[in-house]
Amino acid sequence: MSGTAAQVSRVSGPLVEVTGLTGIAMSQIVQVGEHRLPGEVVAINGGTATVQAYEYTGGVAPGDEAVSLGEQLSGRLGPHLLGAVFDGLLRPLAGAPAWLDPAASSLPSSGQDLAWAFTPSAREGDHLGPGAALGAVSAPGGVRYLVLVPPDASGQVRRLRPAGQVTGQDVIAVVGGTQVPLVSSWPVRQRRPVARRLGPDAPLQTGQRVIDVLFPVTRGGTSAVPGGFGTGKTVLLQQITKWCDADVIVYVGCGERGNELAEMLTELAGLTDPRTGGRLAGRTVIIANTSNMPMMAREASIYSAAAVAEHFRDMGLHVVVVADSTSRWAEALREFSSRNGEMPAEEGYPASLASALAAFYERAGRFTTLGGQEGSITIIGAVSPAGGDMTEPVTSYTQRFVRSLWTLDRDLAYARHYPAVSWAGSFARDAGLIAGWHARNGDPGWAARRASLTALLAEADRAGELAELMGASALPPRQRIAILAGRLVREGVLQQSALSQADAYCDQARAAALADAVLAVSGRCLELAGLGVPADQLEDHDFSPLLRAKEDAPSAGRVREIADAVLAELREKPITAPGQREPGHD
Amino acid sequence: MTETAGGGWARPEFTAVEQLRGPLLIARGVKGVGWDEFASIRLGAGELRHGLVLEVNGDLAVIQVLEGTAGMDPNDTSIEFAGSPLRIAVGPQWLGRVCSGRGEPRDGGPPVTGELTMPVAGFPVNPALRLPPAEPVLTGISVIDELTTLVRGQKLPIFSVAGLPHLELAGQIAAQASAQGEPFSVVFAAMGLTHADAAVIRAILEERSAAGDLVLFINLADDPVIERILTPRLALTVAEHLAFTLGRHALVVMADMTSYCEALREVSMARGELPARRAYPGYLYSDLASLYERCGRIEGLPGSLTMVPALTMPSGDITHPVPDLTGYITEGQLVLSADLHARGIYPPVDALSSLSRLMRHGAGPGRTRDDHLDVAAQTLAALAAARRARELSELIGSAALGDSDRRAIRFEQAFETTLMNQGPAESRTLAETLRLAWQVLGVLPRRDLTMISASAVDRYYP
Ligand SMILES: Nc1ncnc2c1ncn2[C@@H]1O[C@H](COP(=O)(O)OP(=O)(O)O)[C@@H](O)[C@H]1O
Ligand SMILES: [Mg+2]
């Protein structure tokens, strides 16, 4: 520790002012008080440094000692991250006590004592550049964990560990005079360097139909999920955490509930990854800064997550960062800036909120890594608008910076239509590009299917508004069928219960088949109405096999069989006079 | 009682009061006083008040005076700092007691003291050691137990509007709740109650209090507003100890959270802090979370802490910061309906707007009864159908309704009068509640009960 002693002069919650620090720079870590609570320098004015403390500062007094560590806020990166739970500063929570008292105990340090099997892939004497692979360790969840030459090192491999057990304290190699430890430290607010940023190419497959079929996001893209409380943000994000086709997920519970994190941990531990056969927990890194944990660590947790994601991206992996909720992070920014006496902009948020949000989402992308591999980071963030007001600053700024928006609608949630993604209020700016990818990968109908579904839903909404005004029976048949088709799309395709054994996850082929089935049946209804079949007869038809297909049909093939049966029944619909109903069809 | 804590470290008294403003006192010449420290303030006349340190800057300390600064003379006031944030004694000696919002006896008994003290701010629970809530707390109130089962470790608020009987309901829950025969304690934190309301609550809770199962903290409407900020923290500190050390299932009922938030706003305003929505401080969410998140279950520890905060929505507005931020933190809500109340139904719970997010973990097979979750789902579906039917009938007239719509409306009526309506002191067993639920389902034809297994229908359909 290159410490210089100094003194606390002012304490107001997480804001601590310190005088007498010499050679201090912005963003450096300073420890304050008897219990050496960590904080970060956020302003320097003459001889006074303003420190944002990451722990509860009760008892810290003017005159208490302050020590500069001479380093920036850093997180420890290594294989110990996978399958484990950390606080906002990346300190492991598994070995910590039941109550987090900053004075009573320091958290155990990260990843020191665990052991992994290491297999070298480079050789002593090789000349390697930054980001090149030295070898791999066996990580839980089947993640291909590579040990890389650090970004600032290169040269000849002088020493390389042979195959065998390694721990978090071990040095794996010496490259060009630099020691390469298995677990290294990185200043989390700084991006880890890459060779090149690439454009998006492929969709992230989430297993959630409304996303994959209507509002997809690319690997390396960004998406935001705004919605009032109880609209299903957390459930949707947890579904994506469980089922999306990424290699590593970094889940940040940022200022949200403790119980729901506990529930997710329990569930992840019991689930198997359908792609690797490993435990799903093994590909997941969880950063837990619940709403009652120190607010300023919430601010840091977002950057810790980004640094962890970049660490895995550098190995050539596809990483997804899920942040629930970015609004709580923004509130931490607001809290500190207001204590610090900054000029407030909208709703008390600092004027820098927009740029801070933009910079966070810019850590997403598809890249060529320093080692020449392709890796990506997708960022998905929940937004919790105060009072459900979508014009508030965090929601309105975020909408501008993301490529996809999944707006959750209170009325849909209230009607138990889950996921409550509003088709009118959501967008996917990369849909065209994703259509091209699907066309190249065996699904040329993707774009047309999406267009038909969107058109149907819009028409159903218009017809529904008319029906509310004048009663459904007063509408012309075409519009009545539109209302019927809208219902089939909503119930047969878009609704997807997170609690369902069979349907919580839906692959692309089955999603496409379900959508095609509903489109074919809707089209047939419209045709029949055109031929004179009365609308009530079509409305009364029993479509339940079609609507239950998402639960009952385990494969795309089975969905098509069900659709064919429904179509056949409809084909038999005689063009009868109204009133003569077929038995058994109501 | 509060002075006992930290008394050992008491510092010399300071008399230099620089400024008095609203509930704030600024003292000069202090040394070594820490942020959030507790202070005792002695007035010239000998009266003792209490305060919390909101900010320390050099030799200045900004102190929030819990009893307010009225009548204080800056030249005749001395302050003693406790040397630590406020702590209170914890232990079973609280059970059966009635105290003020600051923990002083209101029942004529001796001050509550004890060897073991805990800081009232509490510590965050390590989220990695939380256990997901999984067993029910039964309230004996049919509409809650059937449709929005409370789960041990859950926080489930009551959203109400002025004039509705939320206080009676909160009191009834506190008086009746149980954990299937396991040791159970209740801590009731009343904030900003009128004397009349307080009398009602005391009467409702009298029996349980006498049985030594309950602690009652009462901050009255004419008690110091600032004291209200302390009341829920005392209640939770006592409850945490009852739960996680003494192994009881503790239920904390807090009413009215809107009064609490107004007190917080008052202090914030006095400090000149930047107001956010409706002039509430920007940290209202985190402050509420520091209370609500104290409930749960913890790996390796016995007991559980469950919470029912009650609040009134100003002008019935659910987007108001107090219900809105509460809803963002809690795990569901019980919404009261003015319409049901006007029709004389008690408790007037709007079943369709209410939700217990954790119910599926705490009810059903192995928890309550095998058919419970299905019965609840079927009942809610039928209530939703009834609402649609009523809306339709407003549009096209009830004469034009079809059979199934009429049945749905009959179902709703039966539900309200038979199942929901219940005496304010009537406690029903779960078996009785489910018997009534089936009696109400009997209004529907058997074939309509598609959400319930055939075997359950065979067994229970009337
Ligand atoms: N996809 C879904 N399937 C089933 N239930 C859901 C789904 N999404 C949300 N819910 C229900 O809605 C409740 C609230 O969802 P949650 O994600 O916690 O909301 P938010 O995070 O927006 O406050 C959940 O407890 C669950 O009952
Ligand atoms: Mg949520």
Side-chain angles (χ1 to χ4, degrees):
Chain A
M1 196 179 303
S2 67
T4 39
Q7 275 191 353
V8 170
S9 59
R10 176 179 168 217
V11 189
S12 168
L15 179 140
V16 179
E17 284 180 359
V18 175
T19 54
L21 287 170
T22 49
I24 188 78
M26 285 289 276
S27 312
Q28 285 188 346
I29 295 296
V30 171
Q31 295 178 330
V32 297
E34 163 188 13
H35 302 294
R36 302 198 153 233
L37 309 176
E40 187 175 347
V41 176
V42 294
I44 301 173
N45 183 2
T48 305
T50 304
V51 173
Q52 162 178 307
Y54 287 117
E55 301 276 12
Y56 168 70
T57 52
V60 178
D64 280 2
E65 194 188 24
V67 180
S68 157
L69 292 193
E71 61 174 36
Q72 301 197 356
L73 176 66
S74 300
R76 293 177 60 72
L77 305 176
H80 65 284
L81 293 166
L82 292 164
V85 189
F86 303 86
D87 77 356
L89 306 184
L90 279 187
R91 298 174 296 189
L93 286 169
W99 275 275
L100 302 172
D101 173 1
S105 61
S106 56
L107 293 172
S109 80
S110 235
Q112 307 278 21
D113 312 321
L114 300 169
W116 295 269
F118 174 73
T119 318
S121 59
R123 273 193 221 126
E124 285 183 2
D126 284 358
H127 281 269
L128 296 180
L134 291 162
V137 298
S138 59
V143 174
R144 189 175 53 92
Y145 188 98
L146 301 180
V147 182
L148 307 176
V149 177
D152 55 358
S154 64
Q156 199 175 26
V157 179
R158 289 271 149 68
R159 264 186 21 233
L160 181 62
R161 267 191 100 87
Q165 289 287 101
V166 290
T167 74
Q169 285 160 317
D170 287 334
V171 171
I172 296 295
V174 178
V175 178
T178 308
Q179 293 203 336
V180 183
L182 179 61
V183 176
S184 60
S185 194
W186 183 263
V188 296
R189 292 186 196 274
Q190 269 173 41
R191 295 161 178 251
R192 290 174 64 86
V194 291
R196 208 169 325 114
R197 193 179 263 276
L198 304 169
D201 67 337
L204 176 79
Q205 314 227 351
T206 64
Q208 302 299 301
R209 278 188 296 277
V210 61
I211 295 173
D212 293 341
V213 173
L214 286 185
F215 303 108
V217 63
T218 60
R219 284 186 158 174
T222 51
S223 181
V225 190
F229 68 80
T231 52
K233 297 180 294 297
T234 301
V235 173
L236 182 61
L237 294 189
Q238 294 191 347
Q239 288 306 100
I240 294 172
T241 299
K242 287 179 206 159
W243 304 118
C244 80
D245 68 342
D247 300 311
V248 172
I249 314 283
V250 185
Y251 184 98
V252 209
C254 177
E256 291 290 313
R257 302 181 181 87
N259 278 338
E260 69 196 11
L261 266 169
E263 190 189 331
M264 191 176 69
L265 289 175
T266 312
E267 280 180 18
L268 279 179
L271 289 171
T272 313
D273 188 339
R275 296 174 316 129
T276 63
R279 273 184 325 131
L280 268 184
R283 69 159 191 180
T284 314
V285 181
I286 296 188
I287 298 178
N289 206 250
T290 54
S291 55
N292 55 335
M293 288 165 79
M295 202 185 205
M296 292 309 135
R298 204 189 284 172
E299 192 269 329
S301 67
I302 290 284
Y303 298 101
S304 295
V308 170
E310 288 169 353
H311 173 67
F312 288 103
R313 180 234 18 227
D314 289 348
M315 298 169 201
L317 297 173
H318 295 289
V319 187
V320 172
V321 175
V322 170
D324 187 6
S325 155
T326 59
S327 295
R328 306 304 167 212
W329 167 68
E331 276 170 20
L333 292 181
R334 173 171 69 184
E335 170 65 9
F336 197 81
S337 74
S338 99
R339 286 208 186 244
N340 202 16
E342 279 171 44
M343 277 287 286
E346 269 176 280
E347 297 205 9
Y349 286 103
S352 57
L353 173 65
S355 54
L357 275 166
F360 167 60
Y361 281 106
E362 281 304 292
R363 284 178 89 162
R366 192 168 74 97
F367 304 92
T368 303
T369 66
L370 290 180
Q373 310 197 53
E374 184 198 320
S376 71
I377 298 174
T378 310
I379 298 183
I380 302 173
V383 182
S384 317
D389 169 10
M390 299 288 180
T391 66
E392 61 87 40
V394 182
T395 315
S396 58
Y397 294 148
T398 303
Q399 289 180 356
R400 283 172 29 222
F401 304 135
V402 292
R403 301 297 300 173
S404 299
L405 184 74
W406 306 324
T407 300
L408 302 187
D409 182 278
R410 190 178 283 289
D411 291 337
L412 287 178
Y414 187 80
R416 310 283 198 261
H417 171 115
Y418 296 121
V421 175
S422 151
W423 41 93
S426 301
F427 61 69
R429 293 200 217 168
D430 293 316
L433 191 135
I434 288 171
W437 183 90
H438 279 295
R440 289 192 303 281
N441 287 273
D443 186 7
W446 189 88
R449 181 183 311 120
R450 175 171 190 264
S452 307
L453 290 170
T454 319
L456 253 180
L457 288 164
E459 199 179 339
D461 283 350
R462 275 194 303 275
E465 280 165 23
L466 277 179
E468 266 174 32
L469 233 63
M470 40 202 273
S473 50
L475 293 184
R478 199 193 147 81
Q479 291 186 328
R480 287 177 63 175
I481 301 303
I483 293 178
L484 170 66
R487 183 169 75 88
L488 298 182
V489 173
R490 288 196 307 274
E491 293 178 21
V493 183
L494 301 186
Q495 290 182 10
Q496 188 173 358
S497 170
L499 308 177
S500 160
Q501 284 285 341
D503 197 38
Y505 163 79
C506 181
D507 65 41
Q508 290 281 346
R510 209 168 68 92
L514 284 166
D516 287 343
V518 164
L519 286 172
V521 169
S522 305
R524 169 56 52 94
C525 289
L526 199 58
E527 242 172 72
L528 290 172
L531 290 172
V533 176
D536 8 5
Q537 229 187 76
L538 292 165
E539 284 163 359
D540 285 350
H541 186 80
D542 179 11
F543 291 104
S544 59
L546 182 68
L547 301 182
R548 273 206 320 265
K550 61 185 188 190
E551 295 283 344
D552 297 347
S555 66
R558 183 73 194 104
V559 173
R560 282 190 282 273
E561 286 168 28
I562 291 174
D564 287 344
V566 176
L567 287 169
E569 273 173 26
L570 284 171
R571 205 169 293 129
E572 282 162 24
K573 275 249 172 244
I575 304 173
T576 43
Q580 270 181 272
R581 289 194 183 173
E582 278 177 83
H585 271 180
D586 56 6
Chain B
M1 59 87 222
T2 38
E3 300 91 288
T4 57
W9 303 279
R11 310 278 176 77
E13 302 206 351
F14 294 93
T15 47
V17 174
E18 171 108 350
Q19 207 187 100
L20 292 167
R21 174 161 45 93
L24 304 185
L25 179 161
I26 300 177
R28 178 177 286 286
V30 301
K31 217 167 168 309
V33 169
W35 180 71
D36 207 22
E37 210 168 283
F38 188 65
S40 304
I41 303 158
R42 196 165 295 279
L43 275 59
E47 187 195 344
L48 188 64
R49 297 193 187 177
H50 307 85
L52 299 174
V53 175
L54 293 183
E55 178 170 342
V56 279
N57 191 354
D59 70 340
L60 290 179
V62 181
I63 300 165
Q64 162 188 328
V65 184
L66 297 180
E67 295 86 348
T69 52
M72 280 172 83
D73 173 356
N75 298 316
D76 198 11
T77 299
S78 61
I79 309 155
E80 185 180 333
F81 294 94
S84 73
L86 177 61
R87 302 173 70 95
I88 54 160
V90 291
Q93 63 273 29
W94 284 98
L95 289 166
R97 299 303 305 268
V98 179
C99 295
S100 76
R102 224 179 46 245
E104 273 147 14
R106 253 200 173 127
D107 52 6
V112 183
T113 55
E115 289 284 286
L116 189 60
T117 66
M118 293 298 285
V120 299
F123 296 108
V125 175
N126 180 349
L129 294 186
R130 278 184 186 272
L131 290 177
E135 298 102 11
V137 170
L138 294 175
T139 63
I141 298 165
S142 287
V143 62
I144 298 175
D145 290 346
E146 186 204 353
L147 298 180
T148 51
T149 312
L150 182 60
V151 184
R152 293 181 205 164
Q154 181 179 22
K155 39 205 176 294
L156 186 64
I158 301 171
F159 285 9
S160 183
V161 291
L164 297 191
H166 49 272
L167 210 57
E168 288 81 349
L169 181 59
Q172 189 176 6
I173 293 171
Q176 296 181 178
S178 67
Q180 298 172 310
E182 295 190 32
F184 197 86
S185 303
V186 180
V187 182
F188 196 107
M191 289 162 283
L193 256 52
T194 60
H195 285 261
D197 280 341
V200 170
I201 282 296
R202 284 185 78 153
I204 296 175
L205 300 179
E206 180 144 32
E207 197 178 321
R208 197 159 206 173
S209 179
D213 283 344
L214 184 134
V215 194
L216 176 55
F217 291 96
I218 303 184
N219 163 276
L220 291 163
D222 56 0
D223 281 343
V225 174
I226 307 306
E227 180 182 297
R228 240 159 255 172
I229 294 177
L230 221 51
T231 308
R233 294 186 162 81
L234 301 190
L236 285 162
T237 306
V238 170
E240 268 173 359
H241 183 261
L242 289 171
F244 303 118
T245 303
L246 300 182
R248 308 175 74 90
H249 298 292
L251 171 70
V252 178
V253 181
M254 311 196 290
D256 181 327
M257 288 308 292
T258 307
S259 301
Y260 168 84
C261 294
E262 282 163 359
L264 205 65
R265 177 168 67 178
E266 204 172 314
V267 177
S268 168
M269 284 291 173
R271 296 190 62 193
E273 287 173 347
L274 216 62
R277 294 217 155 195
R278 307 250 186 146
Y280 285 92
Y283 50 79
L284 182 59
Y285 173 85
S286 297
D287 187 277
L288 285 172
S290 75
L291 304 177
Y292 296 151
E293 279 288 329
R294 286 173 81 169
C295 59
R297 297 195 309 150
I298 297 170
E299 205 175 301
L301 296 181
S304 65
L305 204 164
T306 308
M307 201 181 303
V308 175
L311 58 88
T312 43
M313 301 183 279
S315 342
D317 178 8
I318 200 167
T319 70
H320 182 280
V322 177
D324 185 52
L325 297 179
T326 295
Y328 269 118
I329 304 165
T330 53
E331 288 136 349
Q333 65 278 334
L334 300 168
V335 181
L336 301 195
S337 148
D339 176 50
L340 284 168
H341 180 62
R343 285 191 279 124
I345 309 277
Y346 175 89
V349 175
D350 180 347
L352 286 177
S353 311
S354 301
L355 169 74
S356 163
R357 295 197 194 191
L358 303 182
M359 174 172 174
R360 71 192 144 88
H361 302 294
R367 308 285 187 223
T368 51
R369 204 171 82 182
D370 285 7
D371 59 325
H372 185 169
L373 289 174
D374 295 344
V375 164
Q378 187 78 66
T379 302
L380 283 170
L383 289 173
R387 172 173 297 192
R388 279 194 302 274
R390 268 194 291 109
E391 284 166 4
L392 195 64
S393 102
E394 274 165 29
L395 216 68
I396 61 174
S398 60
L401 287 184
D403 280 349
S404 67
D405 287 334
R406 283 170 205 279
R407 242 189 337 260
I409 291 176
R410 270 211 314 284
F411 173 87
E412 188 184 51
Q413 281 161 355
F415 175 80
E416 287 170 5
T417 52
T418 310
L419 186 128
M420 187 182 316
N421 202 26
Q422 172 171 353
E426 177 188 358
S427 181
R428 294 189 190 143
T429 62
L430 184 73
E432 173 67 359
T433 289
L434 289 177
R435 189 188 66 76
L436 292 171
W438 275 102
Q439 185 182 326
V440 174
L441 285 171
V443 172
L444 303 177
R446 258 180 107 101
R447 68 183 144 79
D448 279 9
L449 305 186
T450 53
M451 302 170 109
I452 307 176
S453 75
S455 64
V457 176
D458 285 343
R459 178 145 176 221
Y460 298 112
Y461 187 73

